[in-house]
Amino acid sequence: NIYLKVSDLVPVLEATVEVTDWKTLGLTLGLPVHVLNTIRRDGCDETDRKRKMILRWLDTGVASWSSLVKALKSPLINKARVAEQICRDHPGAEIKQKSEGTSSSQALLDDSPQSPLGKSRQATSEQK
């Protein structure tokens, strides 16, 4: 995996221009709910929130074109065409399909504490 940096913000924003649900994208990329809630509370517009979310993701040190492609292909985002374009524009961004076990989309919907959905639910229940 080639990891992305904050300097890759513009290409990532351009690649995700069709994605309007920045919070769900952030969750599928593995950002914690409390980080996304802080971005939401900043009072900026949706475009700025998406930019800030992507910056936070790029700053994790584990952001890659492959992980973005995986998130875009998830049923939560459902932007396979955008993911395919990224694969064409950035060779090496393809996701290796597992021959057995849990598919990547099933893993995203998994309720375990390690999955994005599980982390989201756990953080939500802790806030109550």
Side-chain angles (χ1 to χ4, degrees):
N1 248 353
I2 298 172
Y3 294 106
L4 301 173
K5 303 176 286 301
V6 172
S7 60
D8 294 304
L9 175 64
V10 172
V12 172
L13 283 172
E14 289 172 346
T16 60
V17 73
E18 291 183 32
V19 179
T20 56
D21 187 350
W22 64 270
K23 194 169 183 180
T24 301
L25 179 60
L27 286 171
T28 59
L29 290 170
L31 290 175
V33 172
H34 72 275
V35 168
L36 299 171
N37 287 338
T38 299
I39 292 169
R40 183 182 47 80
R41 282 192 298 266
D42 279 349
C44 47
D45 66 16
E46 293 299 295
T47 302
D48 197 41
R49 288 176 178 156
K50 181 179 172 183
R51 182 188 58 79
K52 288 180 180 183
M53 178 276 296
I54 290 173
L55 277 171
R56 290 297 296 264
W57 174 65
L58 290 170
D59 205 30
T60 64
V62 295
S64 67
W65 288 115
S66 295
S67 58
L68 181 58
V69 164
K70 182 177 178 180
L72 291 169
K73 286 184 174 182
S74 79
L76 297 172
I77 304 297
N78 197 25
K79 294 287 185 185
R81 188 181 56 74
V82 174
E84 290 163 9
Q85 185 61 49
I86 289 172
C87 290
R88 284 191 293 275
D89 294 345
H90 302 279
E94 297 85 7
I95 300 172
K96 306 279 189 289
Q97 294 297 324
K98 296 179 182 177
S99 57
E100 297 179 15
T102 306
S103 73
S104 60
S105 59
Q106 287 171 326
L108 287 170
L109 297 174
D110 182 6
D111 265 345
S112 72
Q114 294 77 25
S115 74
L117 187 59
K119 288 177 185 175
S120 169
R121 288 193 176 152
Q122 183 179 11
T124 302
S125 65
E126 290 172 1
Q127 291 174 358
K128 291 180 181 177

